[in-house]
Amino acid sequence: MSVPVDEQYSVDMAIGGHVLRHVYEDETSAELSITVQHGQIGYTLVSSAQPINFPDDELVQSICDLVGLHERYGSGPSGSGLTKAVYRYHKNPDGGWSANSSYSYE
C-alpha cells in the first residue's frame, strides 16, 4: 500500500521548512538523512557550512510524522514501512531552494 500523495506532500513540506530554518543565509545546500531500524529512528542534518546540525523539536516531530505515516500505510514492497529517507536541498541562483528526496524500504 502506498502513502497518499497529499499526506506525503504535507509531511515533506513541513520537513523542508524546518530544515531550511537550520541553514545560514549564505549556505548553498543541506541534507537530512533519516534511518529506521528495529523501531529506532536515526537522523543527521548537514549543510554546506555546518558539518553537523542538531535538529530542533519541530523537525524531530516532522521526522516522526514521516515514519509514522509510512508505518500507518505499510509502505514498501513488504509493507514494513520506511527504512531510509534522504532529503537534499540546493539553493538556486535566484536564492530560492529546490529539493529532492528518496525513500528506501525493506
Side-chain angles (χ1 to χ4, degrees):
M1 190 169 185
S2 62
V3 173
V5 173
D6 61 327
E7 291 186 49
Q8 180 68 54
Y9 178 80
S10 178
V11 171
D12 289 344
M13 293 303 291
I15 287 172
H18 294 306
V19 166
L20 294 179
R21 280 197 284 277
H22 282 80
V23 299
Y24 299 134
E25 187 175 325
D26 61 344
E27 292 193 82
T28 58
S29 65
E31 181 176 296
L32 174 66
S33 181
I34 303 163
T35 56
V36 182
Q37 190 172 44
H38 306 296
Q40 299 292 319
I41 303 171
Y43 45 84
T44 57
L45 175 59
V46 297
S47 58
S48 54
Q50 302 175 75
I52 190 163
N53 198 320
F54 296 100
D56 60 18
D57 290 344
E58 289 91 2
L59 178 52
V60 172
Q61 182 60 56
S62 291
I63 291 168
C64 292
D65 291 346
L66 171 72
V67 173
L69 182 65
H70 282 265
E71 285 178 353
R72 188 167 53 253
Y73 285 98
S75 58
S78 66
S80 61
L82 189 67
T83 58
K84 183 173 184 170
V86 179
Y87 289 84
R88 292 179 187 90
Y89 303 89
H90 297 280
K91 190 177 250 185
N92 300 321
D94 67 1
W97 288 85
S98 60
N100 65 58
S101 54
S102 61
Y103 309 94
S104 299
Y105 310 92
E106 282 187 8

